[in-house]
C-alpha cells in the first residue's frame, strides 16, 4: 500500500515523524501511563522491576538472604513478563486503525493529516489499553540507564550466586554463577567459584546451563552450523544456518518491538531558537525511535561477554548458507540465498561470480533466472533503507546524531554533505575488520580451553582473553614454596654432581650459562646417593600434576602422553651483560618452523612436529629478566607477557597460534620445569618410562596417572572460548634451519 505515494520526501519525513510523535504523545501522556504508585502483586499487575531490584540489593547488603533471593529473582521474572507483554501488545495493536489507511492513499493536505492522526490515535489507544490492563502505571515508566546496564551485564546473577551460597542452595548458586560468567568471561573470581561448585556434593551438570539462553539462541545455532561445516556435514549445516537466519530475524523483530512500545522520554525544549515546533519535536522523537530500531542490529550481533558486535552478521549467515546449500546439492536454495545476499551487496564480485556458477550448474534454466530472494530478507533490507534515509535526513537537517550499524549501507542513501565523513568512518571500520581477520586464526590442535581445574588450590590467573591468544592459560598455586625450594635444591645438587647438567653456555645466547636435568638422570643420581630420592620423586610427580591440570583444562579429546620433561636453569654470566640486546631464547613455535617474513609455520623436521601441548612450571623469581612472552606470527608484535614466580604454570598449544620466546636473564639464575606433551603414544618419552622402571625395580612407587595431592589447596575454574585458529600447510620445503635443543621454553 503506497501510504505516502503522492508526497515529496521532506513532506513524507515530517509526516512520518508526526505519526510517531502523536503515537508517543497520546500514549505516554495518557492517564493510565501517568504518575502512580506501583500496585505490585496486590493488584495482579506487573510492577516496576527496577524497584524490586533496588530493594533486593538493599536486602543483600543488609544480609537478609531470603528476602534478597526472592526480590532479585522477582525483578528478573518481572522484567521478562514486561517485555513479553509489550511484545503481545505490539502484535495485538498492529491492525488497529487499518481501516483508515485507504484514506491516506486518496486524501491530500490537511484532510490527509486528520486521517493520519485518527489512524495513529487508534493504535495508541489500543497499546495504552493493552498495557494498562497488564502493567502498573509505574511499571510502564522508563528505567534508568544504570538499571539497564545492570541487567545487560547480568549483574543480578552476581548477587544471586552469593545469596544462594549463603542459603546453602549450591545448585542454584552454581546456576547463577554460570549465567553471570557467560556474559563476563574475564571475571576470574567467578570462574574460580564455578570450579569450586563443580566439586561440591549435590551440584549436577544441569546447574551449568545459561538461564538467559532464550535470548541467545541464534548464537548457539551459529556455532552449531560452524561445527557442521568443519566436519563437512553440509546437510546439517544447511539446516542450522537456515534456523540461524530465521532466529536472527526473530530476535531483531523482538528488539524493534520493544523500541516501539517501551516508554521514551519526550524531546526537551531548546528555547526560542531551538526545536520548539510540533513537527520538529515530532521529528526528534521519531528519529530516536528509528535509531533505537536500527541499533537492534548491533544488539543482536553482540555475543554475551563481548563488547563489539560481529559486523555484517546477517549477510555473513547468508554467505555461509548459500555455500552450504551448494555443497549439499541444493542448487535452487543456494541461488535463493545468494540473491538474498546480493540485496545487501549487489555489486559484490565474488557473489556475482558464484551466481553465474550456480546458474551454469543448473544448465542456465529458467528456474535459476526466476528464483527470487527470500521475502523476509527483501522486507528487512527495504525497511532498513527507508529508515536510514529518514535518519540521514535528520542528521543533515535537524542536527540529529545517528551511528549507522551496517557496513552494507549504499552510498546513495547518505546525503552529499555527509558522504566524506561517512566514507572515512567506513574505511576506518573496514581496516579494523581486516586487521581482526589477520589476527584471528583457527587452532587445529583439537584442544579447547576452559575445562575444569581438578587440583584444589590452583587458580586461573590469566586465560585466552587476558593472554590475548588461543589455547593459553596461566595457573597459580601449582607448587607451594617448600616444593619450589626442594626442586631448586635438586638442581643445585645435580649441577655440583656433574652430568649433562654441566653448566655449558646456552645454545641460544653466549651471555648465559645453561643447565638441564631430566627425570631419568635425577633417578640415576638418586640411586647413586648423590641427590635425595624424595627430591627426584617430587620432580617426577610435578610432571604428573601438570599433565592432569592441562589435560582437564584444555579438554584433550584423547590421552596426553609426555613427550619430554626438562628441569632447566639459565644463569646470567657476570660481567657479560653490558649492552646486551639478544634474548634468552629467540621467538619460535614448538612444533613447526616459523617463517616470520611470510607468517608461515612449516610443520616439518627438524621441528618437533609431534608435540601438541607445551608447559612451563616456574620455581623462582629472584633474578632479572627471563619473562616468557607470546608474539604474533611476525615474531615482533608481543601479545602477552608472563613474569615467573614459584608455582606458576603456563600452558599452551604447541602450534603456530602460539609463537613465544624468553627475554634475556641479565642477573641471577632462572629455573623452571619445561614439559611437552603429545597425543601420539608412539612419540611418548621412553626415558621417563625407563626411569619409572628403575624406580619400580628398587621397590619404590611413583605417582602416575594424574594422581594429585589436594591437601591445603583451594579450587578454581575457567571459561571456554571458541577455539580460534587455522590449520597450517605441512608441505615440505628443504631449507637449512638451525634449531635449538629440547629446552624450548
Amino acid at each position: 500500500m503506497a501510504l505516502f505515494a503522492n508526497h515529496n520526501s521532506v513532506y513524507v519525513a515530517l509526516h512520518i515523524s508526526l505519526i510517531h510523535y502523536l503515537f508517543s504523545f497520546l500514549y505516554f501522556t495518557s492517564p493510565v501511563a501517568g504518575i502512580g504508585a506501583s500496585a505490585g502483586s496486590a493488584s495482579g499487575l506487573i510492577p516496576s522491576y527496577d524497584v524490586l531490584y533496588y530493594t533486593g540489593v538493599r536486602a543483600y547488603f543488609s544480609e537478609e538472604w531470603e528476602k534478597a533471593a526472592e526480590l532479585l529473582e522477582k525483578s528478573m521474572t518481572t522484567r521478562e513478563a514486561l517485555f513479553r507483554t509489550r511484545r503481545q501488545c505490539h502484535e495485538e495493536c498492529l491492525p488497529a486503525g487499518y481501516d483508515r489507511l485507504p484514506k491516506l492513499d486518496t486524501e491530500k493536505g490537511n484532510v490527509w493529516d486528520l486521517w493520519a492522526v485518527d489512524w495513529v490515535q487508534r493504535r495508541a489507544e489500543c497499546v495504552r489499553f493493552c498495557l494498562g490492563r497488564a502493567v502498573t502505571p509505574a511499571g510502564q515508566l522508563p528505567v534508568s540507564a544504570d538499571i539497564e546496564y545492570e541487567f545487560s551485564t547480568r549483574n543480578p546473577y552476581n548477587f544471586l550466586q552469593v545469596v544462594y551460597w549463603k542459603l546453602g542452595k549450591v545448585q542454584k548458586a552454581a546456576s547463577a554463577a554460570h549465567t553471570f560468567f557467560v556474559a563476563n568471561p574475564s571475571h576470574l573470581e567467578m570462574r574460580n567459584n564455578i570450579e569450586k561448585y563443580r566439586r561440591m556434593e549435590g551440584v549436577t551438570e544441569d546447574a551449568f546451563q545459561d538461564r538467559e539462553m532464550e535470548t541467545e539462541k541464534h548464537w548457539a545455532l551459529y556455532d552449531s552450523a560452524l561445527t557442521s561445516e568443519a566436519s563437512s556435514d553440509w546437510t546439517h549445516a544447511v539446516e542450522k544456518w537456515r534456523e540461524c537466519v530465521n532466529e536472527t530475524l526473530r530476535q531483531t523483530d523482538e528488539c524493534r518491538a520493544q523500541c516501539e512500545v517501551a516508554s521514551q522520554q519526550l524531546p526537551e525544549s531548546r528555547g526560542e531558537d531551538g526545536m520548539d515546533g510540533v513537527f520538529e519535536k515530532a521529528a526528534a522523537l521519531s528519529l530516536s525511535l528509528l535509531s533505537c530500531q536500527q541499533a537492534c542490529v548491533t544488539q543482536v550481533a553482540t555475543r554475551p561477554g563481548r563488547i563489539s558486535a560481529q559486523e555484517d552478521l546477517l549477510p555473513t549467515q547468508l554467505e555461509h548458507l548459500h555455500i552450504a546449500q551448494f555443497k549439499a546439492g541444493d542448487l535452487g536454495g543456494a541461488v535463493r540465498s545468494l540473491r538474498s545476499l546480493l540485496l545487501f551487496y549487489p555489486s559484490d564480485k565474488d557473489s556475482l561470480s558464484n551466481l553465474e556458477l550456480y546458474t551454469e550448474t543448473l544448465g542456465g534454466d529458467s528456474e535459476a533466472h526466476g528464483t527470487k530472494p527470500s521475502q523476509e530478507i527483501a522486507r528487512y533490507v527495504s525497511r532498513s533503507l527507508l529508515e536510514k534515509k529518514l535518519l540521514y535526513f535528520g542528521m543533515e537537517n535537524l542536527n540529529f546524531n545517528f551511528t549507522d550499524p551496517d557496513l552494507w549501507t549504499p552510498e546513495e542513501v547518505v546525503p552529499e554533505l555527509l558522504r566524506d565523513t561517512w566514507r572515512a568512518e567506513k574505511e576506518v571500520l573496514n581496516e579494523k575488520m581486516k586487521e581482526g581477520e589477520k589476527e584471528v586464526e583457527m587452532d587445529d590442535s583439537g584442544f579447547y580451553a576452559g575445562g575444569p581445574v581438578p587440583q584444589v588450590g590452583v587458580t586461573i590467573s590469566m586465560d585466552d582473553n587476558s593472554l590475548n591468544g588461543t589455547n593459553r592459560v596461566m595457573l597459580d598455586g601449582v607448587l607451594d614454596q617448600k616444593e619450589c625450594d626442594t626442586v631448586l635444591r635438586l638442581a643445585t645438587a645435580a649441577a655440583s654432581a656433574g652430568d649433562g647438567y654441566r653448566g655449558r653456555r646456552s645454545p641460544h645466547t653466549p651471555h648465559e650459562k645453561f643447565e638441564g636435568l631430566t627425570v631419568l638422570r635425577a633417578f640415576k643420581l638418586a640411586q647413586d646417593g648423590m641427590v635425595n630420592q624424595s627430591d627426584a620423586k617430587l620432580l617426577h610427580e610435578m610432571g604428573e600434576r601438570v599433565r592432569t591440570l592441562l589435560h582437564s583444562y584444555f579438554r584433550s579429546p584423547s590421552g596426553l602422553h609426555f613427550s619430554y620433561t626438562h628441569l632447566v636453569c639459565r644463569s646470567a654470566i657476570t660481567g657479560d651483560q653490558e649492552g646486551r640486546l639478544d634474548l634468552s631464547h629467540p621467538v619460535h613455535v614448538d612444533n613447526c618452523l616459523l617463517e616470520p617474513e611470510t607468517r608461515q609455520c612449516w610443520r616439518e623436521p627438524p621441528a618437533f612436529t609431534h608435540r601438541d601441548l607445551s608447559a612451563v612450571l616456574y620455581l623462582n623469581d629472584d633474578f632479572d629478566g627471563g619473562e616468557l612472552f607470546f608474539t604474533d606470527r611476525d615474531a615482533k608484535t608481543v601479545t602477552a607477557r608472563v613474569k615467573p614466580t614459584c608455582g606458576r604454570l603456563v600452558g599452551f598449544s604447541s602450534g603456530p597460534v602460539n609463537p613465544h620466546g624468553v627475554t634475556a636473564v641479565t642477573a641471577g639464575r632462572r629455573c623452571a620445569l619445561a614439559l611437552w606433551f603429545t597425543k601420539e603414544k608412539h612419540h611418548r618419552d621412553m626415558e621417563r618410562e625407563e626411569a619409572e622402571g628403575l624406580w619400580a625395580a628398587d621397590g619404590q612407587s611413583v605417582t602416575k596417572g594424574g594422581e594429585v595431592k589436594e591437601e591445603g589447596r583451594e579450587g578454581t575454574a575457567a571459561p571456554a572460548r571458541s577455539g580460534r585458529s587455522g590449520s597450517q600447510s605441512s608441505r615440505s620445503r628443504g631449507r637449512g634451519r638451525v634449531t635449538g635443543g629440547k629446552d624450548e621454553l
Side-chain angles (χ1 to χ4, degrees), residues 86-105:
R86 286 176 181 169
R87 177 69 180 187
Q88 290 169 352
C89 289
H90 177 269
E91 296 297 327
E92 182 178 319
C93 295
L94 278 176
Y98 268 19
D99 57 332
R100 269 54 179 165
L101 293 183
K103 294 290 185 181
L104 300 181
D105 284 331

Side-chain angles (χ1 to χ4, degrees), residues 68-85:
E70 179 185 357
L71 290 169
L72 290 170
E73 289 284 9
K74 192 173 181 180
S75 70
M76 291 188 289
T77 57
T78 299
R79 182 172 181 263
E80 292 170 4
L82 175 63
F83 283 19
R84 188 166 55 250
T85 300

Side-chain angles (χ1 to χ4, degrees), residues 4-22:
F4 304 108
N6 299 321
H7 302 279
N8 62 46
S9 60
V10 174
Y11 190 67
V12 168
L14 293 178
H15 276 76
I16 290 178
S17 300
L18 174 62
I19 286 173
H20 285 294
Y21 173 74
L22 286 174

Side-chain angles (χ1 to χ4, degrees), residues 430-451:
N430 281 326
E431 287 300 319
K432 285 183 178 179
M433 287 185 65
K434 290 177 182 177
E435 190 64 27
E437 290 171 359
K438 191 185 300 181
E439 294 175 357
V440 175
E441 53 182 345
M442 298 298 294
D443 186 352
D444 60 358
S445 65
F447 297 117
Y448 184 32

Side-chain angles (χ1 to χ4, degrees), residues 479-597:
L479 300 175
D480 57 31
Q481 189 61 54
K482 182 179 178 181
E483 290 171 322
C484 289
D485 292 342
T486 297
V487 181
L488 287 170
R489 184 174 66 243
L490 174 64
T492 301
S496 62
D499 73 316
Y501 218 106
R502 287 186 293 272
R504 66 187 184 281
R505 292 209 173 220
S506 168
H508 307 299
T509 172
H511 304 289
E512 296 175 17
K513 184 175 66 172
F514 172 85
E515 302 164 327
L517 178 67
T518 65
V519 172
L520 176 61
R521 184 58 185 166
F523 276 24
K524 287 183 176 180
L525 290 173
Q527 283 184 322
D528 294 340
M530 304 182 73
V531 299
N532 291 333
Q533 289 188 348
S534 60
D535 295 354
K537 189 174 180 180
L538 175 60
L539 179 66
H540 176 276
E541 192 269 331
M542 284 163 48
E544 296 292 343
R545 194 181 299 179
V546 170
R547 176 167 66 170
T548 298
L549 288 167
L550 298 187
H551 184 276
S552 176
Y553 180 78
F554 287 113
R555 294 185 268 203
S556 177
S558 58
L560 205 57
H561 307 280
F562 286 94
S563 172
Y564 194 66
T565 306
H566 209 196
L567 175 57
V568 177
C569 292
R570 308 162 188 264
S571 304
I573 297 176
T574 304
D576 196 15
Q577 303 298 316
E578 186 175 353
R580 183 176 175 185
L581 298 175
D582 65 345
L583 296 170
S584 180
H585 197 116
V587 175
H588 63 283
V589 175
D590 285 347
N591 68 11
C592 58
L593 304 175
L594 181 63
E595 191 175 74
E597 299 79 11

Side-chain angles (χ1 to χ4, degrees), residues 423-468:
R423 290 190 195 106
E425 292 175 349
K426 188 172 182 179
E427 184 62 30
V428 169
L429 188 55
N430 281 326
E431 287 300 319
K432 285 183 178 179
M433 287 185 65
K434 290 177 182 177
E435 190 64 27
E437 290 171 359
K438 191 185 300 181
E439 294 175 357
V440 175
E441 53 182 345
M442 298 298 294
D443 186 352
D444 60 358
S445 65
F447 297 117
Y448 184 32
V453 177
Q455 181 175 328
V456 178
V458 176
T459 58
I460 300 170
S461 301
M462 300 181 79
D463 59 2
D464 280 357
N465 193 33
S466 45
L467 286 170
N468 299 314

